[in-house]
Amino acid sequence: MRYRLLETVAEYAAERLDESGQRAQAERAHLTYFRELARTTDPLLRGPGQLTAIRRLEREYENLRTALRHAVALRDEQEALCLALSLVWYWQMRDLRIEARNWCREVMALGPDPFTEPVRRAAPVWQRCTDAPPPMTGEVLQEARRGIHLAHLACMDTELDAWQSPRSQQKLRAISLTYEPGLPQNCRLPGLLWFFAVMLTGDMERLRVIIDESIRTCQETPGFDWELAAGLQMRANFLANRTDWAGDAARDADESLEIYQRLGDAWGTADRPLRARRGPRTQGRLREGRRRLRGGHRARRTARSPRPRRPSVSARLASALLEAGEGERGERLLREVIAHHEDSHSEAMPAARLFLAGWLGMTGRAPEAREQLRRLRQDFRIAHFIVFDAFILGAEAWLDATEGRYEECLDRIRKAMERAADPLTEAIAPHMRSGYLIIGASALAALDGGRRAVDAARCLGAFDALLPSGHVAQRQERQTREWAERQARALLGDQAYETAYAEGGGLSLEEATALL
C-alpha cells in the first residue's frame, strides 16, 4: 500500500523535521536507501526479472529524482555518479533522453572532466562501476566519471548545436583516443557509448575494429553474455546498413536473439534487427521480420508495464508492413507513433515522420508528406544535423519529382549531394550519394520535354554500377528507378537508352553527380 501526503501535511512534517535538526540526517538516509535501490535493481533490467525491476524503478522514480537532487545539492559526486549510472539503462529503455541529459549534466559538473587533454588512456576495468556502493577509488572512479560523460554524449541529438562547436569536436576526438579496442568497460553501458565519439569523428574503419574486438572480449570472458548479445546486435545493425563491410548480419542477429531469449531479456529480444534478415528471399524474410517485431511488441508491452510500447519498435514494424504491401496497417501504426509522442523528444519520431512522408508521397498525398517533413524540421534539432539534413533534402527532392517540379528537384538533390559528400555523412551513410542519382534521373528524364533523357539514362547506369553487392532496393527506390527508366526509354528508344546507360556504368560517382 502506498500513501501520499497532502501538500499541507507534507509542509507541516517538513517544518517539524527542520525543528528537530534532523533534516540533513534524514536526507542522507533517503539518498543512501534509494541509491542502493537503483544500484541493486539495475542488473535485474537485463534478465527475467525485467518487468519487476521496471515497475520498481517506475514506482519509486520521484524518490530517485529526489535522491539525485540531494546528491547534487550536497555536491556529493560519488553518490550522484553511482545513482545516475545505475539509471542509465532505465532511462534508455524508457526513452527518457531529456531527463538523462539533464541529470548527466548536473552530475558531470560535480567532478573534473575526464576527457580534458592531455588524454589519459583508460586501463581495463572488469567490474561495473556500480557493482559496489560508494566510495569508488582509482580506475573505477575514473571510469565512472568517463561513463557519465558518455551517457551525456548519447543524448547529443537533444542539443546538437552544442556539439558543433570546436571545443565539443575536440572533446569527441579526446574521447575517441581515450580507449583501446577490446577493453571490458566498453563492452557494456555506458562505456559502450564510446563508439558514438568514434563514429562522429568519421573513423568508420576503426569503428569496425572496435565492434569486432568488443565481441571478442565478450566471447572470451565468462559472465559477459548480455554484453555479447548487445555487441552482436550492434554489429548486425552496422552490417545490415553497410554492405561494404564483410560479415553476416543475419548470423549475428540470430546469435544475439538466442542469447537474449536464454537470458529472459524481453527488451533485447524485441530489438532484433529486421534489416539483417534481408537477402535473396526478401519477402519471406520480411514476413519473418514482421513476426519477430510483433513478438517484440508483445515483449515490450510486458516490459513496459501499463505504458505504451516503445515507439522505435512500432516505427520499425510500420516500415516493414509498408514494405511488405500492408500499407493501411503500416500507415495506421506510424500515425499512432506520431500522435502518442508528438509532444515528446522520442528517438522514433524523426524516423516515423520520414517513413510516413515516403508512404504519403507514394500514394499521391504529396502535400501531406511535405507537412510531415516541415514538422520534422520544425520540431527536431536533429533535422539540422548534416547527416539527417541530407536525408530530408533527398525526401523533399523526391516529392518535387513526384509533383512535376523538376527544376526544384534538381536544385534540392544537388544540395543533398553536397551534404552527403561530407565526411561524417559518408562515414554513416556511404551509399547515400549514389542512391540519390535515381532521384536526379527521374527529374532529368522529364525535364525540358525530355532533352536531358540521355543524362537520365547515364545516371541510372552509374547508380546500378555503384551499388554494392547484396543491395536490396526498398519499394520507394524501386518505383522511382522503374519510372525514370520507363520515361527515358520512351524518349530515347531502347538502343539509345542502352548506349547511354552503358556510358553511365563507366562513370565515377563524381562524374555522375556532375550530370545533375
Side-chain angles (χ1 to χ4, degrees):
M1 180 73 69
R2 178 63 60 94
Y3 295 96
R4 294 184 181 276
L5 293 176
L6 292 173
E7 185 175 352
T8 53
V9 176
E11 290 174 354
Y12 176 80
E15 290 173 2
R16 299 288 79 76
L17 185 62
D18 286 335
E19 291 173 1
S20 72
Q22 296 181 341
R23 173 177 283 277
Q25 180 182 347
E27 288 181 347
R28 175 61 69 176
H30 179 277
L31 168 58
T32 301
Y33 179 86
F34 284 101
R35 175 253 295 160
E36 280 302 282
L37 183 142
R39 188 184 69 82
T40 57
T41 301
D42 175 47
L44 304 179
L45 295 172
R46 299 166 181 82
Q50 195 172 74
L51 174 59
T52 300
I54 288 173
R55 286 176 171 166
R56 180 184 304 159
L57 294 176
E58 187 175 57
R59 183 175 60 249
E60 301 293 353
Y61 194 63
E62 285 307 313
N63 276 313
L64 293 166
R65 295 175 82 182
T66 299
L68 271 168
R69 282 194 291 270
H70 288 159
V72 171
L74 292 168
R75 300 200 62 77
D76 192 327
E77 182 198 13
Q78 296 238 7
E79 289 286 358
L81 279 171
C82 187
L83 185 47
L85 290 174
S86 297
L87 291 171
V88 164
W89 185 227
Y90 174 77
W91 283 330
Q92 185 165 334
M93 294 175 82
R94 284 304 203 190
D95 202 16
L96 298 172
R97 291 175 305 134
I98 299 293
E99 182 90 348
R101 180 200 69 188
N102 293 343
W103 281 119
C104 287
R105 187 188 292 154
E106 294 276 359
V107 177
M108 286 160 52
L110 300 177
D113 186 340
F115 297 110
T116 301
E117 294 182 324
V119 174
R120 181 181 182 274
R121 299 280 183 169
V125 177
W126 291 95
Q127 67 191 84
R128 292 181 186 274
C129 297
T130 55
D131 276 354
M136 309 171 197
T137 58
E139 197 62 31
V140 172
L141 177 58
Q142 290 300 315
E143 190 56 40
R145 288 169 172 161
R146 289 190 286 260
I148 204 68
H149 281 254
L150 292 174
H152 179 256
L153 170 62
C155 306
M156 68 174 299
D157 63 310
T158 65
E159 50 181 5
L160 277 171
D161 293 344
W163 286 98
Q164 302 300 308
S165 68
R167 181 179 178 182
S168 294
Q169 292 296 307
Q170 183 179 4
K171 181 171 182 174
L172 288 174
R173 290 190 290 271
I175 293 172
S176 70
L177 294 173
T178 297
Y179 297 101
E180 290 296 326
L183 290 176
Q185 61 263 45
N186 299 129
C187 299
R188 54 165 65 108
L189 287 172
L192 181 66
L193 300 171
W194 166 49
F195 83 91
F196 273 121
V198 179
M199 183 172 67
L200 291 168
T201 58
D203 193 351
M204 294 302 287
E205 292 308 312
R206 186 171 183 231
L207 189 62
R208 176 63 195 270
V209 173
I210 287 168
I211 296 173
D212 289 347
E213 287 300 303
S214 177
I215 289 172
R216 182 188 59 79
T217 297
C218 293
Q219 291 169 332
E220 296 175 355
T221 307
F224 272 48
D225 292 5
W226 189 91
E227 290 78 6
L228 176 58
L232 290 166
Q233 185 181 75
M234 179 185 296
R235 188 167 68 181
N237 278 316
F238 273 100
L239 291 174
N241 289 285
R242 292 187 64 96
T243 51
D244 55 325
W245 282 10
D248 190 332
R251 182 182 60 210
D252 282 351
D254 287 341
E255 185 177 351
S256 172
L257 177 65
E258 185 277 325
I259 296 171
Y260 279 133
Q261 289 176 332
R262 172 163 47 83
L263 294 175
D265 186 337
W267 192 266
T269 299
D271 264 342
R272 183 177 187 269
L274 171 64
R275 287 177 59 87
R277 297 302 303 167
R278 293 189 179 163
R281 296 183 296 279
T282 306
Q283 289 302 318
R285 288 179 170 178
L286 276 170
R287 284 193 294 271
E288 181 191 351
R290 294 200 306 276
R291 181 178 62 79
R292 298 283 191 189
L293 283 170
R294 287 187 185 115
H297 269 311
R298 290 189 291 273
R300 288 288 172 86
R301 282 198 296 270
T302 300
R304 284 184 66 82
S305 179
R307 291 196 178 185
R309 62 192 64 149
R310 180 164 175 164
S312 60
V313 177
S314 295
R316 286 164 49 206
L317 176 56
S319 175
L321 291 169
L322 296 178
E323 186 66 19
E326 298 185 44
E328 183 178 343
R329 296 180 62 198
E331 179 179 341
R332 184 171 62 250
L333 191 52
L334 287 173
R335 291 188 184 278
E336 287 176 3
V337 171
I338 292 169
H340 292 158
H341 302 278
E342 194 163 15
D343 297 326
S344 70
H345 208 285
S346 170
E347 62 182 352
M349 284 293 283
R353 287 200 186 277
L354 268 180
F355 292 154
L356 183 56
W359 174 249
L360 292 170
M362 284 191 289
T363 52
R365 292 173 283 174
E368 190 178 353
R370 289 186 187 279
E371 176 61 15
Q372 292 297 327
L373 298 178
R374 187 194 69 77
R375 288 293 305 274
L376 182 53
R377 286 195 181 279
Q378 171 186 294
D379 298 343
F380 284 85
R381 291 184 179 180
I382 195 172
H384 305 287
F385 186 39
I386 192 165
V387 180
F388 218 78
D389 190 31
F391 276 116
I392 298 174
L393 279 168
E396 291 169 334
W398 174 75
L399 285 173
D400 286 334
T402 65
E403 292 187 301
R405 303 177 182 181
Y406 302 121
E407 289 286 2
E408 292 94 328
C409 171
L410 289 174
D411 181 59
R412 277 201 173 94
I413 209 66
R414 291 184 199 109
K415 293 176 182 177
M417 285 287 204
E418 289 175 7
R419 287 158 178 75
D422 180 85
L424 178 57
T425 310
E426 286 211 315
I428 295 173
H431 307 303
M432 184 186 292
R433 281 200 294 165
S434 60
Y436 283 170
L437 288 174
I438 60 168
I439 298 176
S442 69
L444 291 172
L447 192 68
D448 296 333
R451 285 193 291 272
R452 301 288 308 277
V454 170
D455 286 340
R458 288 171 178 154
C459 283
L460 292 174
F463 167 74
D464 288 345
L466 292 166
L467 282 180
S469 61
H471 174 76
V472 178
Q474 302 293 301
R475 182 175 180 176
Q476 182 177 333
E477 178 186 314
R478 293 195 306 272
Q479 289 185 357
T480 304
R481 195 206 174 288
E482 289 166 4
W483 187 91
E485 179 177 343
R486 190 164 57 249
Q487 287 290 107
R489 280 188 183 275
L491 290 163
L492 298 173
D494 288 344
Q495 184 173 349
Y497 172 85
E498 294 295 346
T499 299
Y501 176 85
E503 290 172 358
L507 297 177
S508 67
L509 179 56
E510 288 70 24
E511 291 169 332
T513 301
L515 297 175
L516 304 175

